[in-house]
């Protein structure tokens, strides 16, 4: 099996591909890496030549930035998540990270927080299927919450088109699986403990699906002994205190990731009911470290359908 570890979209990545012809494996690796680079250059918040940066750099002007069908489809998905989350998923809220930087030792200044909140608002983003514009100066859009999952789906499509029967695409924990492992057994995906490094909560044995996790453990702030998540409420500017971790399984990584992120942004009292209504397999860990899951029931229903 071809194995390749690399960095993509600001995080660690790996690709495992198995094919009887090593030339096909190397073609698959090259095509996947090329497409991941293309997606990053187009959608990155941090690359000044990206289409996202072009929109951000024109904020507050009357200039409409031309977008294509691919970009518009991601905006449509972001709009769906915005509505599903009652406004908690807001791609214009990324600027709030400026007042919750990882090196902060104290709570943010209220005036600075209010200033940033004035630049947040998905409804202030003027877009159509052909163009986009941020209506107010200082606004920025960040699609980082869905682009990585989209890239996983794109990569797995490339591999399937090459008739790859066994593969794993992992972009910093957002994972796409094709078939089983080469030995015919399911892939083993560990769900990490959100508070204890190196420890797992569960081991998922999966085939031909995607897995995505949203959690508060990677970039949390500890100020005066209290943990503050990197997930910010765009209405208040303060971190969310709903879930420590949420892992979702779906045939599409974009759907799995969108569901996990939306669940993590919802109010505590509505998270579990919302996840149950979505109907996808999930494993959620609340901030008291209680585990909620429908994995056994969901997988049993899937086996019965098959």
């Amino acid at each position: 099996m071809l194995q390749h570890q690399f960095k993509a979209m600001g995080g660690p990545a790996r690709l495992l591909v198995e094919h009887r012809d090593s030339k096909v494996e190397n073609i698959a690796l090259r095509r996947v890496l090329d497409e991941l680079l293309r997606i990053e250059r187009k959608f990155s918040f941090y690359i000044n030549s990206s289409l996202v940066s072009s929109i951000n750099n024109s904020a507050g002007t009357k200039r409409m930035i031309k977008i294509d069908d691919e970009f518009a489809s991601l905006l449509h998905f972001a709009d769906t998540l915005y509505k599903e989350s009652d406004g908690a998923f807001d791609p214009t809220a990324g600027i709030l990270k400026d007042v919750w930087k990882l090196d902060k030792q104290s709570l943010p200044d209220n005036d600075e927080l209010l200033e940033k909140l004035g630049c947040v608002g998905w409804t202030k983003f003027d877009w159509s299927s052909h163009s986009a514009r941020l209506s107010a100066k200082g606004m920025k859009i960040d699609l980082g919450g869905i682009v990585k999952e989209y890239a996983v789906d794109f990569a797995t499509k490339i591999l399937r088109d090459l008739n790859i029967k066994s593969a794993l695409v992992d972009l910093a924990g957002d994972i796409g699986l094709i078939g089983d492992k080469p030995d015919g057994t399911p892939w083993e995906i560990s769900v990490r403990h959100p508070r204890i490094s190196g420890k797992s909560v569960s081991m998922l044995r999966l085939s031909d699906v995607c897995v995505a996790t949203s959690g508060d453990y990677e970039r949390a702030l500890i100020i005066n002994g209290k943990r503050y998540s990197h997930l910010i409420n765009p209405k208040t500017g303060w971190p969310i205190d709903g879930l420590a971790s949420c892992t979702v399984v779906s045939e599409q990584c974009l759907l799995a990731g969108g569901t996990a992120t939306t669940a993590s942004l919802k109010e505590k009292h509505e998270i579990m009911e919302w996840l149950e209504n979505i109907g996808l397999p999930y494993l959620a860990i609340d901030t008291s470290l209680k585990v909620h899951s429908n994995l056994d029931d969901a997988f049993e229903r899937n086996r019965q359908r098959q």
Side-chain angles (χ1 to χ4, degrees):
M1 171 172 268
L2 181 149
Q3 303 186 42
H4 183 65
Q5 294 187 337
F6 56 105
K7 278 201 169 184
M9 302 182 185
R14 61 177 175 148
L15 177 65
L16 308 180
V17 179
E18 194 275 336
H19 194 277
R20 64 181 180 273
D21 187 341
S22 61
K23 291 182 180 179
V24 175
E25 291 178 342
N26 285 298
I27 290 171
L29 173 62
R30 185 72 268 152
R31 288 187 183 177
V32 167
L33 294 180
D34 286 347
E35 282 305 312
L36 292 180
L37 183 59
R38 180 192 70 80
I39 292 170
E40 184 170 15
R41 286 174 172 172
K42 183 174 185 176
F43 292 101
S44 176
F45 180 82
Y46 302 100
I47 297 176
N48 197 50
S49 58
S50 73
L51 191 51
V52 165
S53 291
S54 294
I55 294 171
N56 292 341
N57 293 337
S58 300
T61 71
K62 295 183 178 180
R63 182 186 174 199
M64 297 293 292
I65 304 299
K66 184 179 179 180
I67 62 174
D68 58 15
D69 291 343
E70 181 183 45
F71 201 99
S73 68
L74 275 182
L75 292 183
H76 278 291
F77 187 72
D79 187 58
T80 298
L81 294 183
Y82 175 81
K83 293 171 181 175
E84 279 288 336
S85 65
D86 297 321
F89 182 92
D90 190 329
T92 68
I95 58 171
L96 294 174
K97 291 182 290 187
D98 292 347
V99 295
W100 290 97
K101 293 181 179 178
L102 291 178
D103 58 353
K104 288 189 74 71
Q105 301 297 316
S106 60
L107 295 175
D109 177 77
N110 192 57
D111 289 339
E112 183 184 8
L113 190 59
L114 289 175
E115 179 184 348
K116 294 294 183 183
L117 277 174
C119 296
V120 174
W122 180 246
T123 57
K124 301 175 187 176
F125 181 49
D126 182 13
W127 64 281
S128 68
S129 297
H130 308 290
S131 60
R133 180 181 73 94
L134 290 162
S135 61
K137 186 177 180 180
M139 289 187 71
K140 292 183 179 181
I141 184 173
D142 185 354
L143 297 176
I146 55 177
V147 167
K148 192 152 53 72
E149 293 87 342
Y150 170 74
V152 170
D153 287 334
F154 208 105
T156 56
K157 182 182 184 306
I158 290 172
L159 298 177
R160 292 182 194 280
D161 288 346
L162 287 170
N163 203 32
I164 301 292
K165 303 298 184 184
S166 177
L168 177 147
V169 180
D170 181 354
L171 299 184
D174 291 325
I175 298 171
L177 304 172
I178 295 179
D180 291 313
K181 292 191 293 184
D183 63 6
T185 61
W187 297 94
E188 295 179 340
I189 306 298
S190 175
V191 179
R192 65 171 287 183
H193 194 292
R195 297 292 181 265
I196 305 176
S197 179
K199 183 177 180 180
S200 64
V201 173
S202 179
M203 182 69 73
L204 307 183
R205 291 170 174 81
L206 304 168
S207 303
D208 225 29
V209 293
C210 295
V211 189
T213 298
S214 178
D216 71 356
Y217 45 84
E218 289 288 358
R219 290 169 285 167
L221 281 172
I222 308 295
I223 301 177
N224 297 327
K226 183 174 179 180
R227 174 182 291 269
Y228 292 90
S229 169
H230 73 285
L231 297 170
I232 310 296
N233 185 330
K235 300 173 185 177
T236 67
W238 284 80
I240 299 290
D241 185 29
L243 292 175
S245 172
C246 184
T247 298
V248 177
V249 179
S250 172
E251 292 183 357
Q252 289 183 306
C253 197
L254 189 59
L255 183 56
T259 301
T261 300
T262 301
S264 299
L265 291 168
K266 280 190 165 288
E267 299 290 339
K268 275 186 176 182
H269 66 275
E270 60 182 359
I271 294 172
M272 293 305 119
E273 182 180 358
W274 184 82
L275 279 170
E276 286 294 333
N277 288 336
I278 291 296
L280 293 175
Y282 72 86
L283 189 152
I285 306 171
D286 62 30
T287 51
S288 68
L289 300 186
K290 182 179 179 181
V291 176
H292 310 261
S293 177
N294 72 343
L295 289 175
D296 290 340
D297 291 341
F299 291 155
E300 179 59 30
R301 288 195 301 270
N302 185 58
R303 282 193 291 268
Q304 290 175 357
R305 284 198 298 268
Q306 292 177 342

